Amino acid sequence: MSYCLNPGCPNPDNLIDAEFCQACGSKLLLRDRYRVLHALGQGGFGATYLARDEVLPGQPNCVIKQLRPNASAPHIMQMARELFEREAQTLGRIGNHPQVPRLLDYFEANQEFYLVQEYVSGSTLQQEVKRNGPFTEAGVKQFLSEILPVLEYIHSHQVIHRDIKPANLIRRSHDLKLVLIDFGAVKNHEQAMVNNASENTAFTSYAIGTPGFAPPEQMAMRPVFASDIYALGVTCVYLLTGRSPKDLSYDPATGELLWRQQVHVSEHFAKVLQKMLEISVRHRYQNANEIFRALDLEPYLDSLAHSMNQVPSKGNKPGTPARSGDLTGSGGDKNAPMSPAARAALAIRARQQQLNRSDSTSLQSGATRQRVMAARATSASLKTSDSKGQASQFTGSRGKTPPKLSAEDLQSYYGKGRRDFSSHDFSTLQLPRADLSGASFNQAMFKQVNLQGATLINTDFGRANLYRANLKDANLTKAYLSNADLEEADLRGADLRGAYLLNANLRGANLCGANLTGAKMSPEQFAMAKTNWMTVKPSGKRGGGW
């Protein structure tokens, strides 16, 4: 079907090969090239359409965004033109990222403005939630691991998106990657604030984003990079609850979104979300790297602090806790050598304090990224390299061992609704065909566990020790396995579609016959594992090579 863009047309639908609209006589082939097929969305200042490029071979689909000012006064047209050119310039500058739609063309015709963009086929996260229900904590963590690098990329180009929400995040069909769309509300951070009153009135609903997802400073037309962080936090709450912010309550005194009682997440992750949703910009995360650091490093601080408190001092009996604030483990003797755990804690805390003092504008120079990478390197260096699968979690040489649960206890607790089993020990347990979907096993011990045929959809195994675990034929769809130790694990025939495996140790892991379609992993990781012609690669193609 060919669609007429004349706003006054009484019947815009036409035959697919028509040259002129049968109802109003308007030419249907836009710029003698683009045939509009149907409308995708409508807004106060324009609309978005699915179109076909009839000049290029194969006539590929594209998206045409039409900006239609609601007045013809010269100053309104000039402001519309400036908004149009701003979005075109922004898309041209950042459109080289694989998770941002490319700008293909832009032009003005009949006092209307048109942007032509790459068409992204897939479902929005809003559609996913409505179809499949809310995400688990592990699912939201995986979402953040996918979208934060995109946010960091656009911020590094001095661009504030200003309209991050589930409806503007599409999971692309062919590779399952998230794509951030709709840059119509973008703001160039380095551009001076416009104080023209007519712009702030005529284009308010076009420029400020979506109420409920936009923070107060953005609604007041003073957006900063952290404004996108707030919108991302609201998006996380939507993914966890399936409820729009307008359906949630607010604290009338502070304006804070009351979401905590609506979700079931670990205390640590709740603190991360709370800081993303701070009403005060000063107390909110300032950039994507700060969130990465909080998710990656903070769990270790609790373990390290516990280890330090268990280090015996010189004058104490073994097992007697050191005095509060004693980081040396030597009864306050500052000349005595510190324990490895204490040194690690000091290193991480020093880096965290340094990073907390970093200004949000340091992202432009790359200083933040360097410090974060250094902090992560320190964190990674704390892990043991025992190839025999010794405990790689931070308990300290004399720290308390992780709590041990039996297979019966684990399944009983899970059946009663418990989902957080972080830092527990499940080594050597027999759990074939167990259903533990959506559970959090962050930093847990699973050495030589039997999970053959288990259902582990959206399960969080971040930093877990799965050395020689039997995961044959297990369903690990969208499982979170970042920094997990899967050395020599049996993953034959496992379903790992959409799993997050970046930084996981896959040395000697058996992936023969495993399905890795859409999984997040590097070629180097893939090369470390055992694969065969039946292995489905992340690209969706079969074969042992990357």
Side-chain angles (χ1 to χ4, degrees):
M1 182 175 294
S2 191
Y3 194 86
C4 178
L5 292 184
N6 178 7
C9 182
N11 183 19
D13 294 330
N14 291 269
L15 297 176
I16 189 62
D17 57 350
E19 294 185 18
F20 297 93
C21 178
Q22 297 177 1
C24 69
S26 298
K27 191 175 180 179
L28 292 176
L29 206 58
L30 192 61
R31 216 182 192 191
D32 296 322
R33 176 171 188 168
Y34 304 108
R35 184 178 297 278
V36 176
L37 303 178
H38 61 80
L40 293 173
Q42 196 86 18
F45 288 91
T48 307
Y49 302 92
L50 177 66
R52 190 173 68 192
D53 188 341
E54 297 197 347
V55 170
L56 290 179
Q59 299 186 342
N61 286 340
C62 57
V63 171
I64 292 182
K65 187 168 184 178
Q66 177 194 55
L67 175 63
R68 182 188 300 155
N70 59 0
S72 58
H75 72 284
I76 295 293
M77 285 300 298
Q78 181 58 31
M79 286 186 291
R81 185 174 288 108
E82 289 174 2
L83 283 171
F84 165 73
E85 290 176 353
R86 179 200 303 173
E87 183 173 4
Q89 290 170 2
T90 299
L91 285 171
R93 190 163 75 248
I94 67 175
N96 290 326
H97 193 282
Q99 290 168 269
V100 174
R102 287 181 295 121
L103 177 67
L104 304 176
D105 196 2
Y106 71 104
F107 54 92
E108 180 179 345
N110 301 321
Q111 292 192 321
E112 293 173 351
F113 306 95
Y114 297 92
L115 291 167
V116 184
Q117 294 175 251
E118 171 189 9
Y119 172 63
V120 181
S121 176
S123 299
T124 67
L125 291 188
Q126 184 180 45
Q127 292 169 329
E128 277 192 19
V129 169
K130 288 182 177 179
R131 182 172 60 245
N132 304 322
F135 284 33
T136 61
E137 177 179 341
V140 175
K141 284 179 178 176
Q142 181 171 336
F143 158 72
L144 285 173
S145 69
E146 292 182 63
I147 201 61
L148 284 172
V150 183
L151 194 60
E152 179 188 27
Y153 171 80
I154 67 170
H155 285 177
S156 71
H157 285 74
Q158 299 302 301
V159 170
I160 305 169
H161 187 278
R162 296 210 294 181
D163 202 17
I164 292 175
K165 58 184 178 180
N168 283 340
L169 289 157
I170 294 179
R171 193 176 300 282
R172 192 161 48 201
S173 298
H174 76 270
D175 62 2
L176 300 181
K177 286 188 176 181
L178 287 176
V179 179
L180 181 60
I181 65 169
D182 197 353
F183 284 75
V186 294
K187 179 72 177 177
N188 295 326
H189 187 262
E190 56 196 6
Q191 182 184 32
M193 289 301 300
V194 178
N195 295 319
N196 188 311
S198 60
E199 179 177 356
N200 287 345
T201 54
F203 286 93
T204 293
S205 63
Y206 180 81
I208 65 171
T210 303
F213 288 90
E217 76 276 1
Q218 184 174 321
M219 300 298 286
M221 300 299 291
R222 293 179 177 85
V224 293
F225 292 127
S227 302
D228 283 344
I229 299 294
Y230 181 92
L232 189 60
V234 179
T235 298
C236 289
V237 172
Y238 175 87
L239 296 179
L240 287 165
T241 63
R243 299 175 65 184
S244 171
K246 64 182 175 60
D247 298 324
L248 297 173
S249 299
Y250 287 81
D251 185 328
T254 64
E256 291 178 302
L257 187 67
L258 301 177
W259 58 274
R260 187 64 183 93
Q261 300 303 316
Q262 307 295 323
V263 302
H264 301 286
V265 295
S266 64
E267 194 60 34
H268 164 60
F269 191 50
K271 289 178 180 178
V272 173
L273 290 180
Q274 187 62 51
K275 192 167 182 179
M276 293 174 72
L277 292 164
E278 283 284 351
I279 292 296
S280 168
V281 178
R282 181 182 301 176
H283 297 132
R284 198 183 306 155
Y285 291 120
Q286 298 299 300
N287 54 58
N289 273 327
E290 289 190 1
I291 303 174
F292 266 131
R293 186 180 71 247
L295 290 172
D296 285 348
L297 291 185
E298 191 167 338
Y300 292 115
L301 296 180
D302 294 336
S303 300
L304 285 165
H306 179 76
S307 298
M308 290 186 297
N309 290 335
Q310 295 299 319
V311 176
S313 59
K314 270 187 174 180
N316 294 339
K317 296 180 180 179
T320 303
R323 291 196 300 271
S324 175
D326 182 3
L327 298 183
T328 65
S330 57
D333 183 357
K334 295 183 179 179
N335 295 320
M338 290 189 294
S339 70
R343 287 196 300 270
L346 285 177
I348 288 180
R349 284 177 176 168
R351 281 167 174 77
Q352 188 173 49
Q353 290 169 359
Q354 182 184 16
L355 288 167
N356 285 338
R357 290 192 296 269
S358 65
D359 188 83
S360 62
T361 58
S362 67
L363 182 64
Q364 183 176 5
S365 65
T368 299
R369 168 170 286 282
Q370 293 173 5
R371 288 194 291 270
V372 169
M373 294 307 293
R376 287 180 180 168
T378 299
S379 172
S381 69
L382 293 172
K383 295 180 70 177
T384 65
S385 58
D386 190 341
S387 62
K388 299 300 181 182
Q390 298 300 317
S392 61
Q393 308 307 319
F394 305 143
T395 57
S397 58
R398 290 183 176 88
K400 185 185 294 184
T401 57
K404 179 88 173 179
L405 285 181
S406 67
E408 293 76 15
D409 287 341
L410 170 59
Q411 292 181 299
S412 174
Y413 286 132
Y414 182 88
K416 293 176 181 177
R418 177 176 169 181
R419 293 295 181 269
D420 190 356
F421 300 96
S422 301
S423 302
H424 283 61
D425 187 357
F426 305 102
S427 300
T428 70
L429 293 189
Q430 295 297 312
L431 291 161
R433 295 176 296 281
D435 185 352
L436 298 168
S437 295
S440 176
F441 295 111
N442 195 277
Q443 302 186 76
M445 299 287 292
F446 281 96
K447 291 187 300 177
Q448 298 180 322
V449 71
N450 181 7
L451 282 163
Q452 181 171 343
T455 303
L456 303 164
I457 301 169
N458 275 322
T459 301
D460 181 358
F461 286 109
R463 302 189 184 276
N465 188 329
L466 290 148
Y467 174 76
R468 287 190 176 177
N470 180 2
L471 292 160
K472 185 178 179 182
D473 297 321
N475 187 347
L476 288 152
T477 304
K478 296 184 179 179
Y480 183 77
L481 292 148
S482 176
N483 291 288
D485 185 358
L486 287 158
E487 184 171 352
E488 296 185 27
D490 187 352
L491 289 154
R492 287 176 294 172
D495 188 348
L496 287 155
R497 288 175 297 170
Y500 192 87
L501 288 155
L502 287 177
N503 299 316
N505 177 14
L506 294 174
R507 187 180 301 277
N510 194 337
L511 290 170
C512 293
N515 187 349
L516 292 157
T517 302
K520 304 299 182 295
M521 64 187 306
S522 68
E524 293 76 17
Q525 287 177 289
F526 191 83
M528 292 173 66
K530 299 175 184 176
T531 58
N532 64 1
W533 66 274
M534 291 183 64
T535 303
V536 182
K537 296 175 286 189
S539 64
K541 298 180 180 179
R542 289 189 182 274
W546 180 256

